[in-house]
Amino acid sequence: MAVAEPEPQCLPLEGAAMDAFLETTDSFLFDCDGVLWRGNRAIDGAPEAVNALRRRGKRVYFVTNNSRRTRDMYEQKLRRLGFDAGREQVFGSAFLAAQYLRQEASLPAAGKVFVIGDAAVCEELDEAGISYVRPVPEPVFGDIEQWSSLPLEPDVCAVLVAFDQHFSYIKLTKACSYLADPECLFLATNRDNAEMVAPGRVIPVTGSLLAAVETGAARQAIVLGKPSPFILRCIASVSPEGPLELQGTAIVGDRLDTDIYFGQTCGLRSVLSLSGVSSLDEAFENRRAGRLNMVPQYYVQGVADFLQSDC
Amino acid sequence: MAVAEPEPQCLPLEGAAMDAFLETTDSFLFDCDGVLWRGNRAIDGAPEAVNALRRRGKRVYFVTNNSRRTRDMYEQKLRRLGFDAGREQVFGSAFLAAQYLRQEASLPAAGKVFVIGDAAVCEELDEAGISYVRPVPEPVFGDIEQWSSLPLEPDVCAVLVAFDQHFSYIKLTKACSYLADPECLFLATNRDNAEMVAPGRVIPVTGSLLAAVETGAARQAIVLGKPSPFILRCIASVSPEGPLELQGTAIVGDRLDTDIYFGQTCGLRSVLSLSGVSSLDEAFENRRAGRLNMVPQYYVQGVADFLQSDC
């Protein structure tokens, strides 16, 4: 018999509640930027807290929508910032997209992926054995007659959109032409729209590029990063420890629309860390407005809070 | 007392119905591409039909969402294809955007417009006396640190998005940074997403670029082309013949989502020409689904149909 899920309460995780939470949570999925670090600096206490969880025998994974780093690059960054971590714990969206193509996409043998993305995406595709059209900066040329007959590769059977600083009208046009074939698979690493990097300074990211392709192609992409449940299938299939026990797994993130939405829709425990993008006010506003998939069960000021009751 | 609008019936305009329609319609707004011409060829009978309407004393305007031509350029094309037409009858979306900035935007004296667009947009802005940052191809450079501190012009108070073949990540980033200021006005020429130019060949147009900016900036643009009612205010203010009498004005277009939507939401007569993008099946499907703003009152096979009862 189905039991109604309780509404997420957005409770502070502290004192006895934290003790009970740590006791009953076996696995932690940590978002990275805004949770473990900001730019090139670890957030105070985060490495110590995450390392303590591992010492206590918890499974720890790093789950990030940023497509600009490979597993190896994330391992290096994690270690440099003091996290005791290995590449096999890292599930970045470039890796996730490559694994989706390898495990679930059933591409034809000669099929190639048209990539809007950077070198990290290519490395993950190489490692997964996926053929692709290597992205290069594409200078704009010609006019509408020539854009109507841009050279297209013959065996493209999928388009993958990730972050690409060389995103341009020509890349957009090629992607839309491939996607005019309804058999062409349409994937994206993530839908995060932008980062506010300083007051008045916005860096558009993958979701913004994806919106251009989706609008031009009049199609919606399958997104592999958070909040996609593919992450859990991918961890189950590539992790030596096998599938996660969902009710004992927590996602810890700073974004209500990706991290918390992922946790709530996949049946995980969800913890908002107030060290990044989303605020407690926004969480309560979502609750008032009935957007319960973007309300966390718990919140912490930062990942360092996981240390207090532990060591 | 308000009278309920009758549902649009999507009736064929022929025989006695056409006679009555021509008798009682004083003004015609013609969409261009797909209605008067395809590429560089006039659609059969269109010049003769439009010229006959003018001889009969009808007001005739050319209303197009394409931002890539100025009024002068449209006049040249119209005349070359056999239409007896002058620039003052042309309301293209680049002209409309420039007129909106001149008439309704209340920009500060030193204010400049950041333009994503091409030379036609610049010419229309020049003619309207609007200051702007001249768009140039912007090569991609640097990394996230540099994108966070791209040089921005100090007096930008509006962003205008039109078609730009040099659309790139750097232009997108600049636009989103200007738009981080909520006082910065956000305009677009149109929302048309793409053109299918041949089987499997799609040309993304302004709506696709706009989706990237809107997603990155997390804001919605004011659109000046169809279906915006600004067109009617603009015709009223710049045409020597003054405002249109709406109930005696017909929009003739090939797109349900722009032309017919414009007519239905602005209280005009609406005629779908089956010579372009939208089909009769799509019109009836909209009617079944209750999307009545995208159902025309009438349809014709082509603009040549307006000739049969006339001369």
Side-chain angles (χ1 to χ4, degrees):
Chain A
M1 198 174 72
V3 176
E5 290 286 324
E7 280 194 16
Q9 298 291 313
C10 196
L11 298 172
L13 206 46
E14 55 193 14
M18 177 62 93
D19 292 339
F21 181 86
L22 289 172
E23 190 61 42
T24 55
T25 305
D26 305 315
S27 305
F28 287 79
L29 310 182
F30 284 104
D31 179 40
C32 296
D33 196 47
V35 173
L36 303 184
W37 59 67
R38 284 192 204 95
N40 284 314
R41 292 191 52 181
I43 288 177
D44 281 351
E48 295 78 2
V50 172
N51 295 345
L53 290 172
R54 290 205 72 194
R55 281 198 306 275
R56 199 166 158 174
K58 308 298 186 189
R59 288 172 71 173
V60 169
Y61 297 98
F62 305 99
V63 179
T64 170
N65 275 359
N66 188 327
S67 66
R68 305 194 63 214
R69 288 200 178 83
T70 61
R71 291 186 117 183
D72 286 336
M73 292 158 81
Y74 273 114
E75 176 182 287
Q76 286 165 29
K77 178 161 187 173
L78 283 159
R79 290 187 182 280
R80 193 170 67 241
L81 297 182
F83 295 90
D84 176 21
R87 72 194 297 277
E88 73 285 349
Q89 292 167 269
V90 176
F91 290 79
S93 65
F95 175 74
L96 288 165
Q99 289 301 309
Y100 181 85
L101 285 159
R102 194 173 71 83
Q103 297 176 29
E104 301 194 5
S106 317
L107 301 187
K112 278 185 208 160
V113 181
F114 178 74
V115 175
I116 293 179
D118 69 4
V121 173
C122 296
E123 276 187 51
E124 294 291 13
L125 291 173
D126 282 332
E127 186 152 340
I130 304 294
S131 300
Y132 58 93
V133 184
R134 185 166 291 275
V136 291
E138 302 223 35
V140 171
F141 63 91
D143 54 24
I144 199 161
E145 304 300 324
Q146 286 177 281
W147 306 327
S148 308
S149 55
L150 286 173
L152 299 179
E153 298 270 337
D155 296 318
V156 168
C157 57
V159 168
L160 169 61
V161 177
F163 180 82
D164 187 339
Q165 71 201 67
H166 293 284
F167 186 77
S168 69
Y169 182 68
I170 298 296
K171 290 194 180 201
L172 172 62
T173 301
K174 287 189 175 180
C176 291
S177 278
Y178 289 123
L179 291 168
D181 175 359
E183 299 290 306
C184 183
L185 190 64
F186 186 12
L187 305 179
T189 53
N190 63 296
R191 224 178 252 291
D192 300 45
N193 71 320
E195 293 170 20
M196 176 78 80
V197 288
R201 290 295 186 160
V202 171
I203 298 292
V205 293
T206 308
S208 172
L209 314 183
L210 179 59
V213 181
E214 289 189 326
T215 301
R219 290 181 55 177
Q220 286 247 310
I222 298 169
V223 171
L224 284 320
K226 291 170 287 186
S228 166
F230 173 70
I231 299 160
L232 301 173
R233 298 202 298 278
C234 189
I235 290 176
S237 67
V238 307
S239 163
E241 296 145 312
L244 293 162
E245 201 281 295
L246 298 188
Q247 296 208 335
T249 299
I251 171 81
V252 184
D254 71 323
R255 289 189 72 130
L256 295 166
D257 60 343
T258 52
D259 302 310
I260 302 306
Y261 189 98
F262 168 67
Q264 291 299 112
T265 54
C266 291
L268 311 181
R269 300 175 175 201
S270 61
V271 184
L272 179 68
S273 176
L274 298 175
S275 50
V277 170
S278 299
S279 69
L280 203 51
D281 283 349
E282 291 170 286
F284 284 124
E285 178 54 33
N286 284 342
R287 193 170 159 205
R288 268 191 297 274
R291 296 186 290 265
L292 299 183
N293 284 337
M294 292 196 284
V295 179
Q297 292 168 348
Y298 303 101
Y299 67 89
V300 292
Q301 297 302 318
V303 166
D305 289 6
F306 289 112
L307 196 58
Q308 64 178 117
S309 308
D310 177 49
C311 321
Chain B
M1 199 173 73
V3 177
E5 290 286 325
E7 279 194 19
Q9 297 293 315
C10 197
L11 298 172
L13 206 46
E14 54 193 13
M18 177 62 94
D19 292 341
F21 181 86
L22 289 172
E23 190 62 42
T24 55
T25 304
D26 306 315
S27 305
F28 288 79
L29 310 183
F30 284 104
D31 179 39
C32 297
D33 196 47
V35 174
L36 303 184
W37 60 66
R38 286 193 203 93
N40 284 314
R41 292 190 52 178
I43 288 178
D44 281 350
E48 294 77 4
V50 172
N51 295 345
L53 291 172
R54 288 204 72 196
R55 281 199 306 276
R56 196 166 160 174
K58 307 299 187 189
R59 290 172 71 173
V60 169
Y61 298 97
F62 305 99
V63 179
T64 169
N65 275 359
N66 187 327
S67 66
R68 304 192 64 214
R69 287 199 178 86
T70 61
R71 290 187 117 185
D72 286 336
M73 293 157 80
Y74 273 113
E75 177 183 284
Q76 286 165 30
K77 178 160 188 174
L78 283 159
R79 289 188 181 280
R80 192 171 67 243
L81 296 183
F83 296 90
D84 175 22
R87 72 193 296 277
E88 72 286 349
Q89 291 167 270
V90 177
F91 290 80
S93 66
F95 176 74
L96 288 165
Q99 289 300 310
Y100 181 86
L101 285 161
R102 195 174 71 83
Q103 297 175 27
E104 301 194 3
S106 317
L107 301 187
K112 278 186 209 158
V113 180
F114 179 75
V115 176
I116 293 178
D118 70 5
V121 174
C122 296
E123 275 187 50
E124 294 291 12
L125 292 173
D126 282 332
E127 186 153 339
I130 304 293
S131 301
Y132 58 93
V133 184
R134 186 166 290 275
V136 291
E138 303 222 34
V140 171
F141 63 92
D143 54 24
I144 200 161
E145 304 298 325
Q146 287 176 280
W147 306 327
S148 308
S149 55
L150 286 173
L152 298 178
E153 298 271 335
D155 296 318
V156 168
C157 57
V159 167
L160 170 60
V161 178
F163 180 82
D164 187 338
Q165 71 203 68
H166 294 284
F167 187 76
S168 69
Y169 182 68
I170 298 295
K171 290 195 181 202
L172 172 63
T173 302
K174 287 188 175 180
C176 291
S177 278
Y178 289 123
L179 291 168
D181 175 359
E183 299 288 309
C184 184
L185 191 64
F186 185 12
L187 305 179
T189 53
N190 63 296
R191 221 177 256 291
D192 300 46
N193 70 321
E195 292 169 22
M196 176 79 79
V197 288
R201 290 295 185 159
V202 171
I203 298 292
V205 291
T206 308
S208 172
L209 315 183
L210 179 59
V213 181
E214 288 189 328
T215 301
R219 289 180 56 178
Q220 285 248 309
I222 298 169
V223 171
L224 283 321
K226 292 170 287 186
S228 166
F230 173 70
I231 298 159
L232 301 173
R233 299 202 296 279
C234 190
I235 290 175
S237 67
V238 307
S239 163
E241 296 145 312
L244 294 162
E245 201 280 295
L246 299 188
Q247 296 207 336
T249 299
I251 171 82
V252 183
D254 70 324
R255 288 188 73 129
L256 296 165
D257 60 341
T258 53
D259 301 311
I260 302 307
Y261 189 97
F262 167 68
Q264 292 299 110
T265 53
C266 291
L268 311 180
R269 300 174 176 204
S270 61
V271 184
L272 179 68
S273 174
L274 298 175
S275 51
V277 171
S278 299
S279 68
L280 203 52
D281 282 350
E282 292 170 287
F284 285 123
E285 178 54 34
N286 284 342
R287 193 170 160 205
R288 268 192 296 276
R291 296 186 291 264
L292 299 183
N293 284 336
M294 292 196 285
V295 180
Q297 292 167 349
Y298 303 102
Y299 66 89
V300 292
Q301 297 301 319
V303 167
D305 290 5
F306 289 112
L307 197 57
Q308 62 178 118
S309 307
D310 176 51
C311 318

